[in-house]
Amino acid sequence: MSLRKYLTSRVFFLQVFIAVLIIAVLGYLFMHWLTFTTNHGNEIAVPNLSKLTEEQVEEKLDDLDLDYVLLDSVDYRNDYPKYSVVQQDPLPGAKVKEGRKVYIKINSSGFSSVKVPDLIEKTYREAVPTLKALGLEEGTITYIPNLGKDMVLEMRYKGRNIKAGDKVLKSSKIDLVLGDGKASYEEDIRTDSIPNPTQEMPNEQ
């Protein structure tokens, strides 16, 4: 049989069909093997670890065949318990493979102290960003008569006056006393309403 006749014969097409079928079956089996070895489709949803202690995190992740890594502690946040999880990566609900590590950051044990900055004679606009940069908060604003409008004249903490360099806890509220720009001066105009005494000459008789 010539090559031309063979390529157009039923035998050739049957052999090609069988070869394609074998390749398809092998491909299907390979994909299933790959799925099995990589746990494809068997992903785990990362739980919400917020406000859990490190011991609780370990217990919860062990049940899911996940692991964790403690990265660091963050500045104290009073809306979270001490030493509880504040941040996590991956986020809750993310799909991960078995054995994946979850990175966490925990709350510190309390506020650290900072020195009060020198805000006296600075403007209100300058004072507030300076406080926030140090982790402090703006408290009550009070105005008193003074020509310096919105100029910081006093700093107070819990009702007492404080000065630059005093230490307070982070997140403390610093009350500011500002000038209202409306100070008035009273000028006493003294006029001599009493004439200078004159000496009366005695009458000579």
Side-chain angles (χ1 to χ4, degrees):
M1 182 182 294
S2 65
L3 179 61
R4 183 176 179 181
K5 287 184 178 180
Y6 174 73
L7 293 177
T8 57
S9 66
R10 294 178 58 186
V11 174
F12 173 74
F13 285 111
L14 181 61
Q15 290 176 340
V16 170
F17 174 76
I18 294 173
V20 171
L21 183 62
I22 293 173
I23 292 174
V25 171
L26 290 176
Y28 177 79
L29 294 175
F30 176 76
M31 291 301 296
H32 271 265
W33 173 82
L34 191 63
T35 299
F36 175 78
T37 56
T38 58
N39 291 323
H40 181 72
N42 191 26
E43 294 178 323
I44 302 168
V46 176
N48 186 1
L49 306 176
S50 179
K51 298 185 178 182
L52 298 183
T53 64
E54 191 174 351
E55 292 77 13
Q56 291 171 326
V57 167
E58 183 175 8
E59 182 179 349
K60 193 163 190 173
L61 293 183
D62 278 348
D63 292 340
L64 296 172
D65 293 322
L66 298 175
D67 200 358
Y68 78 96
V69 175
L70 175 59
L71 294 179
D72 198 0
S73 61
V74 300
D75 287 340
Y76 181 70
R77 294 177 55 174
N78 57 9
D79 52 337
Y80 283 80
K82 295 179 181 179
Y83 304 116
S84 67
V85 176
V86 176
Q87 298 176 16
Q88 70 176 85
D89 181 34
L91 295 174
K95 302 292 186 180
V96 297
K97 302 286 180 61
E98 182 180 307
R100 171 67 186 271
K101 292 180 179 179
V102 180
Y103 298 90
I104 62 173
K105 291 185 179 181
I106 63 173
N107 201 17
S108 59
S109 60
F111 290 117
S112 57
S113 61
V114 294
K115 289 184 178 180
V116 175
D118 187 3
L119 304 179
I120 302 301
E121 295 189 355
K122 292 185 181 295
T123 65
Y124 173 76
R125 286 188 176 183
E126 294 172 321
V128 172
T130 303
L131 288 174
K132 290 183 177 180
L134 293 172
L136 300 173
E137 297 181 14
E138 168 193 351
T140 302
I141 304 300
T142 306
Y143 288 91
I144 61 174
N146 189 278
L147 283 177
K149 181 172 175 57
D150 291 330
M151 179 184 291
V152 178
L153 304 175
E154 296 177 21
M155 299 182 292
R156 295 175 181 170
Y157 176 63
K158 293 185 177 180
R160 61 181 179 85
N161 281 16
I162 55 175
K163 61 182 183 300
D166 289 348
K167 287 188 175 182
V168 297
L169 294 177
K170 270 190 177 182
S171 293
S172 295
K173 291 186 177 182
I174 306 300
D175 301 329
L176 302 176
V177 179
L178 309 178
D180 61 4
K182 299 178 183 179
S184 60
Y185 293 97
E186 293 182 357
E187 295 183 3
D188 294 329
I189 303 175
R190 297 182 179 179
T191 56
D192 293 332
S193 57
I194 303 176
N196 290 331
T198 56
Q199 293 181 349
E200 294 183 359
M201 296 298 293
N203 292 332
E204 294 184 355
Q205 295 179 348

